[in-house]
Amino acid sequence: MECFIKSLYICVKDMHRAIDFYETFFDQSVTESDELYSVFDIHGFRLGLFAYDKAGERHTFGTNCLPSIEVYDINILKKKLETVRIIFPITKIGDNWVSEFEDSEGNHIELTTKVKE
C-alpha cells in the first residue's frame, strides 16, 4: 500500500488558548482559524486543532496519540522546552535526542532532534 500522511489534528478544550500556545511554539501565525477547527501549515503538513466539545464529541487527553515534532538542533529543542511542562526529559535514544511535553490543552507532544557529532 502506498500512502501519505499529510495532516493530524489534536483535540483542544479552548481554541483561542491553543492557537496562542502553538503560534508561540511554532513562531508563526495560524493558517486557518475558526471556533471548531483551526490549522497550522508546517512546511506542507497540516496540524489541526479540533474543538471536540463544540462538536459534541468526547475525548481523553494525554498519551493516546503522540505527535512528534522534529527541530533542527538540540539548542532549539532545549529553548522550546523552557516554557512548557516536561513529561519526559531530554534523553538520547538511538541517534536522536527525545523529550515529551504537555501542551496548553493537556496533550502530550514529542520533541526530537538528530544527535550531531
Side-chain angles (χ1 to χ4, degrees):
M1 173 176 85
E2 184 176 327
C3 65
F4 302 94
I5 298 175
K6 295 187 177 198
S7 69
L8 167 86
Y9 75 81
I10 55 178
C11 291
V12 302
K13 298 173 190 172
D14 182 315
M15 183 62 75
H16 296 290
R17 180 178 63 200
I19 288 172
D20 287 346
F21 178 88
Y22 282 102
E23 282 183 333
T24 299
F25 186 81
F26 289 124
D27 296 323
Q28 73 176 56
S29 297
V30 66
T31 308
E32 303 168 29
S33 175
D34 70 35
E35 63 183 36
L36 187 62
Y37 193 76
S38 298
V39 176
F40 285 85
D41 183 332
I42 312 297
H43 302 287
F45 184 85
R46 293 173 52 90
L47 175 66
L49 306 176
F50 176 57
Y52 70 99
D53 198 34
K54 288 193 180 282
E57 292 188 15
R58 294 182 57 208
H59 177 68
T60 302
F61 286 87
T63 59
N64 56 335
C65 176
L66 191 65
S68 184
I69 300 168
E70 184 175 346
V71 295
Y72 180 71
D73 66 35
I74 190 71
N75 295 320
I76 295 169
L77 187 143
K78 288 177 180 177
K79 179 83 172 152
K80 291 297 179 182
L81 293 176
E82 289 177 358
T83 60
V84 296
R85 181 173 172 256
I86 296 173
I87 303 299
F88 181 76
I90 299 171
T91 303
K92 185 179 179 200
I93 300 176
D95 293 337
N96 296 291
W97 290 108
V98 178
S99 186
E100 186 178 326
F101 67 92
E102 185 175 85
D103 76 0
S104 62
E105 307 307 297
N107 296 299
H108 293 195
I109 309 292
E110 180 181 75
L111 194 58
T112 184
T113 190
K114 295 284 184 200
V115 172
K116 296 185 179 169
E117 298 179 30

Short mmCIF file of all heavy atoms in Angstrom, two decimals, residues 58-94:
data_model
loop_
_atom_site.label_atom_id
_atom_site.label_comp_id
_atom_site.label_asym_id
_atom_site.label_seq_id
_atom_site.Cartn_x
_atom_site.Cartn_y
_atom_site.Cartn_z
N ARG A 58 -16.60 13.29 22.71
CA ARG A 58 -15.84 13.05 23.93
C ARG A 58 -14.37 12.84 23.56
O ARG A 58 -14.06 12.41 22.45
CB ARG A 58 -16.37 11.82 24.65
CG ARG A 58 -17.78 12.02 25.16
CD ARG A 58 -18.28 10.81 25.92
NE ARG A 58 -17.35 10.52 27.01
CZ ARG A 58 -17.14 9.31 27.52
NH1 ARG A 58 -17.81 8.28 27.07
NH2 ARG A 58 -16.27 9.12 28.50
N HIS A 59 -13.49 13.10 24.52
CA HIS A 59 -12.07 12.92 24.27
C HIS A 59 -11.34 12.70 25.58
O HIS A 59 -11.68 13.31 26.59
CB HIS A 59 -11.49 14.15 23.56
CG HIS A 59 -10.02 14.07 23.33
ND1 HIS A 59 -9.44 13.19 22.46
CD2 HIS A 59 -8.98 14.76 23.88
CE1 HIS A 59 -8.13 13.35 22.48
NE2 HIS A 59 -7.83 14.29 23.34
N THR A 60 -10.32 11.85 25.56
CA THR A 60 -9.44 11.66 26.71
C THR A 60 -8.09 12.26 26.36
O THR A 60 -7.49 11.89 25.35
CB THR A 60 -9.27 10.15 27.02
OG1 THR A 60 -10.55 9.60 27.27
CG2 THR A 60 -8.38 9.95 28.21
N PHE A 61 -7.62 13.18 27.18
CA PHE A 61 -6.34 13.83 26.92
C PHE A 61 -5.19 13.02 27.46
O PHE A 61 -5.35 12.21 28.36
CB PHE A 61 -6.33 15.24 27.54
CG PHE A 61 -7.16 16.20 26.78
CD1 PHE A 61 -8.51 16.32 27.06
CD2 PHE A 61 -6.62 16.96 25.77
CE1 PHE A 61 -9.30 17.19 26.35
CE2 PHE A 61 -7.40 17.83 25.04
CZ PHE A 61 -8.75 17.95 25.33
N GLY A 62 -4.00 13.25 26.92
CA GLY A 62 -2.81 12.61 27.43
C GLY A 62 -2.04 11.85 26.38
O GLY A 62 -1.66 12.41 25.37
N THR A 63 -1.85 10.55 26.59
CA THR A 63 -0.91 9.79 25.78
C THR A 63 -1.56 8.86 24.77
O THR A 63 -0.95 7.91 24.31
CB THR A 63 -0.01 8.95 26.70
OG1 THR A 63 -0.84 8.07 27.47
CG2 THR A 63 0.80 9.82 27.63
N ASN A 64 -2.81 9.11 24.40
CA ASN A 64 -3.45 8.23 23.44
C ASN A 64 -2.95 8.44 22.01
O ASN A 64 -3.16 7.60 21.15
CB ASN A 64 -4.98 8.35 23.51
CG ASN A 64 -5.44 9.77 23.29
OD1 ASN A 64 -4.71 10.72 23.52
ND2 ASN A 64 -6.67 9.93 22.85
N CYS A 65 -2.30 9.54 21.74
CA CYS A 65 -1.68 9.82 20.45
C CYS A 65 -0.50 10.74 20.74
O CYS A 65 -0.62 11.68 21.53
CB CYS A 65 -2.67 10.51 19.52
SG CYS A 65 -1.96 10.99 17.94
N LEU A 66 0.63 10.46 20.15
CA LEU A 66 1.82 11.26 20.46
C LEU A 66 2.41 11.85 19.19
O LEU A 66 3.27 11.25 18.55
CB LEU A 66 2.86 10.40 21.19
CG LEU A 66 4.03 11.13 21.80
CD1 LEU A 66 3.57 12.05 22.93
CD2 LEU A 66 5.04 10.15 22.33
N PRO A 67 1.95 13.05 18.80
CA PRO A 67 2.58 13.71 17.65
C PRO A 67 4.05 13.97 17.96
O PRO A 67 4.41 14.30 19.08
CB PRO A 67 1.81 15.03 17.53
CG PRO A 67 0.55 14.82 18.29
CD PRO A 67 0.88 13.84 19.37
N SER A 68 4.90 13.82 16.96
CA SER A 68 6.33 14.03 17.13
C SER A 68 6.78 15.17 16.22
O SER A 68 6.55 15.13 15.02
CB SER A 68 7.08 12.74 16.78
OG SER A 68 8.45 12.91 17.02
N ILE A 69 7.41 16.16 16.83
CA ILE A 69 7.89 17.33 16.10
C ILE A 69 9.41 17.31 16.13
O ILE A 69 10.03 17.26 17.19
CB ILE A 69 7.36 18.62 16.74
CG1 ILE A 69 5.82 18.62 16.71
CG2 ILE A 69 7.94 19.84 16.04
CD1 ILE A 69 5.21 19.70 17.57
N GLU A 70 10.03 17.35 14.95
CA GLU A 70 11.49 17.37 14.86
C GLU A 70 11.97 18.79 14.63
O GLU A 70 11.45 19.50 13.76
CB GLU A 70 11.98 16.47 13.73
CG GLU A 70 13.49 16.38 13.66
CD GLU A 70 14.00 15.40 12.61
OE1 GLU A 70 13.22 14.58 12.11
OE2 GLU A 70 15.20 15.47 12.29
N VAL A 71 12.97 19.20 15.41
CA VAL A 71 13.59 20.52 15.23
C VAL A 71 15.03 20.33 14.74
O VAL A 71 15.56 19.22 14.77
CB VAL A 71 13.55 21.35 16.54
CG1 VAL A 71 12.11 21.68 16.91
CG2 VAL A 71 14.25 20.64 17.68
N TYR A 72 15.65 21.43 14.32
CA TYR A 72 16.94 21.36 13.65
C TYR A 72 18.09 20.92 14.55
O TYR A 72 18.95 20.18 14.14
CB TYR A 72 17.26 22.72 13.00
CG TYR A 72 18.58 22.73 12.28
CD1 TYR A 72 18.75 22.03 11.08
CD2 TYR A 72 19.67 23.41 12.81
CE1 TYR A 72 19.97 22.02 10.43
CE2 TYR A 72 20.89 23.41 12.16
CZ TYR A 72 21.03 22.71 10.97
OH TYR A 72 22.23 22.71 10.34
N ASP A 73 18.11 21.41 15.80
CA ASP A 73 19.23 21.03 16.67
C ASP A 73 18.83 21.05 18.14
O ASP A 73 17.75 21.51 18.50
CB ASP A 73 20.47 21.88 16.41
CG ASP A 73 20.31 23.34 16.77
OD1 ASP A 73 19.62 23.67 17.75
OD2 ASP A 73 20.91 24.19 16.07
N ILE A 74 19.74 20.57 18.98
CA ILE A 74 19.49 20.43 20.42
C ILE A 74 19.24 21.78 21.09
O ILE A 74 18.48 21.86 22.05
CB ILE A 74 20.64 19.65 21.10
CG1 ILE A 74 20.29 19.29 22.55
CG2 ILE A 74 21.95 20.43 21.04
CD1 ILE A 74 19.28 18.23 22.72
N ASN A 75 19.85 22.85 20.60
CA ASN A 75 19.64 24.17 21.21
C ASN A 75 18.21 24.65 21.03
O ASN A 75 17.63 25.23 21.96
CB ASN A 75 20.63 25.19 20.63
CG ASN A 75 22.06 24.85 20.98
OD1 ASN A 75 22.34 24.42 22.10
ND2 ASN A 75 22.96 24.99 20.03
N ILE A 76 17.64 24.41 19.86
CA ILE A 76 16.24 24.76 19.63
C ILE A 76 15.35 23.90 20.52
O ILE A 76 14.40 24.39 21.14
CB ILE A 76 15.87 24.59 18.14
CG1 ILE A 76 16.65 25.58 17.27
CG2 ILE A 76 14.36 24.77 17.94
CD1 ILE A 76 16.54 25.32 15.79
N LEU A 77 15.63 22.61 20.60
CA LEU A 77 14.86 21.70 21.43
C LEU A 77 14.85 22.20 22.88
O LEU A 77 13.80 22.31 23.51
CB LEU A 77 15.44 20.29 21.35
CG LEU A 77 14.65 19.18 22.03
CD1 LEU A 77 14.72 17.92 21.21
CD2 LEU A 77 15.15 18.92 23.42
N LYS A 78 16.01 22.52 23.41
CA LYS A 78 16.11 23.00 24.79
C LYS A 78 15.34 24.30 24.98
O LYS A 78 14.66 24.49 25.99
CB LYS A 78 17.57 23.19 25.19
CG LYS A 78 18.32 21.89 25.38
CD LYS A 78 19.78 22.14 25.70
CE LYS A 78 20.54 20.84 25.90
NZ LYS A 78 21.98 21.09 26.14
N LYS A 79 15.46 25.21 24.03
CA LYS A 79 14.76 26.50 24.11
C LYS A 79 13.25 26.31 24.14
O LYS A 79 12.55 26.93 24.94
CB LYS A 79 15.18 27.38 22.93
CG LYS A 79 14.53 28.71 22.87
CD LYS A 79 15.25 29.69 23.76
CE LYS A 79 14.68 31.08 23.54
NZ LYS A 79 14.81 31.89 24.73
N LYS A 80 12.74 25.42 23.30
CA LYS A 80 11.29 25.18 23.24
C LYS A 80 10.77 24.55 24.52
O LYS A 80 9.62 24.75 24.90
CB LYS A 80 10.94 24.30 22.03
CG LYS A 80 11.11 24.98 20.70
CD LYS A 80 10.18 26.16 20.60
CE LYS A 80 10.33 26.90 19.30
NZ LYS A 80 9.44 28.07 19.25
N LEU A 81 11.61 23.81 25.22
CA LEU A 81 11.18 23.15 26.45
C LEU A 81 11.21 24.07 27.67
O LEU A 81 10.71 23.70 28.73
CB LEU A 81 12.04 21.91 26.71
CG LEU A 81 11.88 20.77 25.70
CD1 LEU A 81 12.86 19.66 26.01
CD2 LEU A 81 10.45 20.25 25.69
N GLU A 82 11.77 25.27 27.53
CA GLU A 82 11.90 26.18 28.67
C GLU A 82 10.56 26.63 29.24
O GLU A 82 10.47 26.92 30.43
CB GLU A 82 12.73 27.40 28.29
CG GLU A 82 14.19 27.11 28.11
CD GLU A 82 14.98 28.33 27.65
OE1 GLU A 82 14.39 29.41 27.43
OE2 GLU A 82 16.21 28.19 27.51
N THR A 83 9.53 26.71 28.41
CA THR A 83 8.27 27.31 28.86
C THR A 83 7.10 26.33 28.91
O THR A 83 5.95 26.74 29.01
CB THR A 83 7.88 28.50 27.96
OG1 THR A 83 7.73 28.02 26.61
CG2 THR A 83 8.94 29.58 28.01
N VAL A 84 7.38 25.04 28.80
CA VAL A 84 6.31 24.04 28.81
C VAL A 84 6.53 23.05 29.95
O VAL A 84 7.62 22.94 30.50
CB VAL A 84 6.23 23.29 27.46
CG1 VAL A 84 5.86 24.23 26.32
CG2 VAL A 84 7.55 22.58 27.15
N ARG A 85 5.47 22.32 30.28
CA ARG A 85 5.57 21.28 31.31
C ARG A 85 6.19 20.04 30.68
O ARG A 85 5.63 19.45 29.76
CB ARG A 85 4.19 20.96 31.85
CG ARG A 85 4.20 19.90 32.93
CD ARG A 85 2.84 19.74 33.58
NE ARG A 85 2.87 18.59 34.45
CZ ARG A 85 2.33 17.40 34.16
NH1 ARG A 85 1.69 17.23 33.04
NH2 ARG A 85 2.43 16.41 35.01
N ILE A 86 7.34 19.63 31.18
CA ILE A 86 8.05 18.48 30.63
C ILE A 86 7.49 17.19 31.23
O ILE A 86 7.38 17.05 32.44
CB ILE A 86 9.57 18.60 30.89
CG1 ILE A 86 10.11 19.82 30.14
CG2 ILE A 86 10.29 17.33 30.45
CD1 ILE A 86 11.55 20.15 30.44
N ILE A 87 7.15 16.26 30.36
CA ILE A 87 6.62 14.95 30.75
C ILE A 87 7.76 13.93 30.78
O ILE A 87 7.83 13.08 31.66
CB ILE A 87 5.52 14.49 29.77
CG1 ILE A 87 4.39 15.51 29.67
CG2 ILE A 87 5.00 13.11 30.15
CD1 ILE A 87 3.67 15.79 30.96
N PHE A 88 8.63 13.99 29.77
CA PHE A 88 9.75 13.07 29.62
C PHE A 88 10.99 13.91 29.32
O PHE A 88 11.02 14.62 28.31
CB PHE A 88 9.46 12.09 28.48
CG PHE A 88 10.51 11.06 28.22
CD1 PHE A 88 10.66 9.96 29.04
CD2 PHE A 88 11.36 11.19 27.12
CE1 PHE A 88 11.63 9.00 28.79
CE2 PHE A 88 12.33 10.24 26.86
CZ PHE A 88 12.47 9.14 27.70
N PRO A 89 12.00 13.90 30.19
CA PRO A 89 13.16 14.77 30.00
C PRO A 89 13.98 14.38 28.76
O PRO A 89 13.89 13.26 28.26
CB PRO A 89 13.97 14.57 31.28
CG PRO A 89 13.58 13.22 31.77
CD PRO A 89 12.14 13.02 31.36
N ILE A 90 14.81 15.31 28.32
CA ILE A 90 15.66 15.07 27.15
C ILE A 90 16.52 13.83 27.41
O ILE A 90 17.24 13.75 28.39
CB ILE A 90 16.57 16.28 26.87
CG1 ILE A 90 15.73 17.52 26.56
CG2 ILE A 90 17.52 15.97 25.70
CD1 ILE A 90 16.54 18.80 26.48
N THR A 91 16.38 12.87 26.49
CA THR A 91 17.07 11.59 26.61
C THR A 91 17.59 11.20 25.24
O THR A 91 16.89 11.36 24.24
CB THR A 91 16.09 10.50 27.12
OG1 THR A 91 15.53 10.93 28.37
CG2 THR A 91 16.79 9.17 27.30
N LYS A 92 18.80 10.67 25.19
CA LYS A 92 19.34 10.18 23.93
C LYS A 92 18.78 8.78 23.69
O LYS A 92 18.97 7.88 24.50
CB LYS A 92 20.87 10.14 23.96
CG LYS A 92 21.46 9.75 22.62
CD LYS A 92 22.98 9.74 22.67
CE LYS A 92 23.49 9.31 21.29
NZ LYS A 92 24.86 8.84 21.37
N ILE A 93 18.10 8.63 22.59
CA ILE A 93 17.56 7.33 22.18
C ILE A 93 18.03 7.08 20.76
O ILE A 93 17.63 7.78 19.83
CB ILE A 93 16.01 7.30 22.26
CG1 ILE A 93 15.55 7.58 23.69
CG2 ILE A 93 15.48 5.96 21.75
CD1 ILE A 93 14.05 7.67 23.87
N GLY A 94 18.91 6.12 20.61
CA GLY A 94 19.49 5.86 19.29
C GLY A 94 20.25 7.07 18.80
O GLY A 94 21.11 7.61 19.49
#
